[in-house]
Amino acid sequence: MSRLKLCKFCITYVFSDIFRRHILSYAVIVFCMKKKFLSTVIVLIIILSAITAASCAKQQDCTTYEIWLDFNEEGVACAQKLHFVNDSDYALENIKLNVYANAFDAKKPLPCTPQEQAEAYPNGVSFGKFDLEQVHGDFKSYDFDFDSNLITIELEQPLKKGESADIQFVYSLTLPNNLLRYGYNDRGVSLTGFYPQLCALVDGEWYYDEFCAIGDPYFADVANYEVHFNLPEGCEYVSSGKSQTKEQDGEIAVDASAKKIRDFALIVSPELQKRSEKYKGVELNYLGSNPHTLEYAKKALDVYSSLFGKYAYDTLSIADMPFVAGGMEYGSICVINEDVKDVAYEEVVAHEIAHQWWYSAVGSNNLINAWQDEGLTNYSTYLYFVENCNIQYADLMISDAYSQYSRFCDIQNSVGEPANGKLGGKLTEFPGNYYYTNLTYNKSLMLWKHAQDTLGKNTLLKALNNYANKYKFEIASEDDLWNSLDEIQPGSSNMLKDYIKAV
């Protein structure tokens, strides 16, 4: 779709049922300015904005991203409207947004570890580019810090609790060729972390850190998303949230809508086939060829819903893609490494779906406490196999965690650098993936198995159910987790805190 076609798409969108529920972003007009369609669009905007302003004000009571994507030969042209609502107890003088895509620029260090480079770039090192073209809206000034990947919006006056600000962005993306979370490969395109995304608000401060190739580099509050894009010819897709397609000017236009997710992800492929079905009120979508994936997804939804509370969303999508890791979680969507086979594949599917409870619904600061969601996710995966009567594999998960962690400690001692076994710490402080994996995944699983053996399975599950319900759609601190346990079993957190500190 050319930018000229995108203008026609925008004008058509004005008259659609979807637009009658929303005010068209000024950012989209910027595209039309380049093709001299401005006067026509402004007239449409003025007329329909007057009609819809009142209803939109009532509906936009929480932070909402509205994004338009135009896949073209050069990359992806993007327009974005951010409706930010300050739901904190603090007056905010500015707004800060992360630009994950900027970490893939040629002027930056590679967004992977040296050990991953060959696998991450099978066709040779490739770079991306994030070009911020225009910013408009309710602010005094803005700055894009290329080095920190941060856009800082200075507001005209402090934004009080319950007040909102609208910011519009126009930017373009050149995608890197890789097997990482963001980019394209022989199978298709992974658009994750591609847009300017609000940093998480923690005690009235925007929390961010430098990009790290180890672990998950960003975390965010929940928000609503409305994303509109053209589907390239011959392609299928899965995305966060519900979506609908329609024929428009000989092309397929897609509208996707997701509520209360932490990030929006889109996978587009000319190679993979899509299957969809309903299961207990959840729309399941799968992009891939494994005949068992949807079966695993159903079993995971059953187990985790029964143990930790109802699944928080009305859709769940899964895509098999080439990937350097086993899998990756996003808002109501998971990506699975297509090269993982047999029961290990089932484990990855179960693991990434468990993240929809521990990461997506219940958030935590993975920049400093990655063990908090990864440990619970690993323990939930262990319970998946227990509840589905594969005790042998569940036991193997536990024994592997103990043996790998023990070997890790032995290796560290042998080189004269004894392991620091304390869970937690900044991602940027981990010496490497081996260190990170043994603490964040292996020792964290050991922690929760130790809690089960000490407190009893029923007591622990009751406490985790309490934690899941109490902090749903929030960001839970480490203390919030401990307090949730102590509310069910007083003093139980002390034992776990000691375990965390020990090697």
Side-chain angles (χ1 to χ4, degrees), residues 101-223:
N102 194 58
F104 290 75
D105 193 278
K107 297 178 182 179
K108 296 294 192 73
L110 288 180
C112 65
T113 64
Q115 296 78 14
E116 294 173 319
Q117 181 176 332
E119 185 179 1
Y121 296 96
N123 299 319
V125 173
S126 172
F127 299 101
K129 184 72 175 176
F130 174 87
D131 283 316
L132 182 62
E133 299 176 8
Q134 298 195 39
V135 184
H136 302 273
D138 303 330
F139 61 86
K140 179 172 57 178
S141 63
Y142 78 91
D143 174 66
F144 175 34
D145 187 331
F146 177 89
D147 293 330
S148 68
N149 306 323
L150 280 179
I151 298 175
T152 300
I153 307 290
E154 296 294 340
L155 300 171
E156 289 282 1
Q157 56 188 13
L159 197 67
K160 299 177 182 178
K161 181 175 183 177
E163 294 181 339
S164 63
D166 290 328
I167 313 294
Q168 296 89 30
F169 306 89
V170 177
Y171 52 96
S172 60
L173 307 172
T174 302
L175 303 180
N177 178 212
N178 61 38
L179 304 187
L180 297 168
R181 284 171 286 192
Y182 168 76
Y184 74 94
N185 53 58
D186 293 341
R187 285 294 202 186
V189 173
S190 295
L191 274 189
T192 67
F194 63 90
Y195 56 95
Q197 182 181 24
L198 288 164
C199 299
L201 262 179
V202 179
D203 296 330
E205 299 290 336
W206 298 106
Y207 195 100
Y208 62 94
D209 202 350
E210 63 184 288
F211 176 85
C212 183
I214 297 172
D216 302 330
Y218 298 126
F219 87 109
D221 294 290
V222 298

Side-chain angles (χ1 to χ4, degrees), residues 168-419:
Q168 296 89 30
F169 306 89
V170 177
Y171 52 96
S172 60
L173 307 172
T174 302
L175 303 180
N177 178 212
N178 61 38
L179 304 187
L180 297 168
R181 284 171 286 192
Y182 168 76
Y184 74 94
N185 53 58
D186 293 341
R187 285 294 202 186
V189 173
S190 295
L191 274 189
T192 67
F194 63 90
Y195 56 95
Q197 182 181 24
L198 288 164
C199 299
L201 262 179
V202 179
D203 296 330
E205 299 290 336
W206 298 106
Y207 195 100
Y208 62 94
D209 202 350
E210 63 184 288
F211 176 85
C212 183
I214 297 172
D216 302 330
Y218 298 126
F219 87 109
D221 294 290
V222 298
N224 293 345
Y225 286 79
E226 303 287 340
V227 180
H228 319 284
F229 59 94
N230 63 304
L231 187 63
E233 185 177 359
C235 289
E236 281 286 6
Y237 75 96
V238 289
S239 73
S240 300
K242 283 188 173 182
S243 63
Q244 58 182 6
T245 61
K246 57 191 174 188
E247 182 98 13
Q248 191 166 289
D249 295 331
E251 294 184 324
I252 301 298
V254 183
D255 297 312
S257 178
K259 307 297 183 186
K260 294 188 176 181
I261 57 173
R262 297 193 186 274
D263 50 3
F264 182 92
L266 169 64
I267 309 298
V268 177
S269 174
E271 301 285 334
L272 301 174
Q273 297 300 309
K274 182 176 180 178
R275 286 189 289 151
S276 300
E277 60 179 272
K278 278 274 192 178
Y279 182 69
K280 297 183 178 179
V282 177
E283 178 186 310
L284 299 177
N285 301 296
Y286 171 55
L287 199 60
S289 58
N290 191 307
H292 304 295
T293 302
L294 291 180
E295 171 194 343
Y296 300 152
K298 293 173 186 177
K299 292 197 295 185
L301 288 174
D302 285 343
V303 170
Y304 304 146
S305 294
S306 66
L307 298 180
F308 310 123
K310 185 180 177 182
Y311 178 61
Y313 308 101
D314 51 12
T315 63
L316 174 62
S317 295
I318 302 170
D320 290 346
M321 290 285 281
F323 194 45
V324 294
M328 187 64 203
E329 71 282 358
Y330 307 98
S332 71
I333 182 174
C334 311
V335 174
I336 312 298
N337 185 337
E338 65 177 11
D339 291 332
V340 179
K341 305 300 181 184
D342 303 322
V343 69
Y345 178 89
E346 181 178 4
E347 179 186 350
V348 175
V349 172
H351 178 98
E352 302 308 336
I353 293 177
H355 268 303
Q356 297 303 321
W357 276 261
W358 318 119
Y359 158 75
S360 195
V362 179
S364 55
N365 189 344
N366 53 282
L367 299 180
I368 58 173
N369 281 325
W371 68 271
Q372 194 169 337
D373 72 300
E374 291 294 354
L376 283 173
T377 296
N378 252 6
Y379 177 61
S380 300
T381 308
Y382 160 79
L383 292 174
Y384 166 92
F385 286 103
V386 170
E387 297 298 314
N388 283 296
C389 300
N390 192 342
I391 305 300
Q392 183 178 2
Y393 196 81
D395 290 343
L396 181 63
M397 287 183 63
I398 300 298
S399 63
D400 275 356
Y402 275 94
S403 62
Q404 289 176 29
Y405 185 73
S406 177
R407 177 173 172 75
F408 160 70
C409 291
D410 290 343
I411 290 174
Q412 292 302 124
N413 288 330
S414 70
V415 297
E417 298 178 3

